[in-house]
Amino acid sequence: MKTIISHKTPVSRCPHCGAEYLPGELYMPGSLIGQPDEVIRDSFGKIIYEDYNSADREPCMEEHFICEYCEKPFIIEATVTYRAKEEAPEKDFTTAYVSLLD
Ligand SMILES: [Zn+2]
């Protein structure tokens, strides 16, 4: 009998033997998104300068890995997408409703 497991996170497979890995096994979360030491924005919020004090703080989207099953090397390349959405406007019940009558 086969048990089918549904994964919450995307699975990467070794290109040689098909062994499966979860992103958390291949990447240190911090190394994937990086940790900037300095970010400077202009008055409109556009980033004009970013600095990482050391190479291990820079985002690293490519990871070299050796398969634990077939012991062959392979490269994992991450694609990270962030979407910014508008927050739904919440009704504010803390201020009294005012209706103007004239
Ligand atoms: Zn393998």
Side-chain angles (χ1 to χ4, degrees):
M1 196 179 113
K2 243 185 174 179
T3 307
I4 296 168
I5 301 166
S6 64
H7 299 283
K8 290 178 181 174
T9 49
V11 171
S12 298
R13 288 178 183 83
C14 170
H16 306 290
C17 73
E20 296 181 335
Y21 296 94
L22 294 173
E25 297 179 289
L26 303 170
Y27 285 101
M28 296 298 287
S31 73
L32 184 59
I33 57 171
Q35 181 78 61
D37 292 291
E38 191 177 4
V39 181
I40 299 174
R41 293 173 175 82
D42 68 13
S43 57
F44 301 101
K46 183 180 168 60
I47 296 171
I48 52 175
Y49 178 78
E50 63 183 282
D51 186 41
Y52 301 90
N53 279 342
S54 57
D56 64 332
R57 291 175 72 88
E58 288 179 23
C60 180
M61 304 302 232
E62 201 176 274
E63 199 71 56
H64 296 261
F65 196 77
I66 293 172
C67 181
E68 293 169 12
Y69 294 88
C70 68
E71 296 183 349
K72 289 179 181 166
F74 65 96
I75 296 168
I76 290 285
E77 195 179 270
T79 313
V80 180
T81 307
Y82 295 100
R83 268 186 221 104
K85 301 194 293 186
E86 263 186 59
E87 192 77 58
E90 279 182 279
K91 286 185 178 172
D92 186 1
F93 295 107
T94 57
T95 54
Y97 179 73
V98 179
S99 63
L100 297 171
L101 301 171
D102 45 341

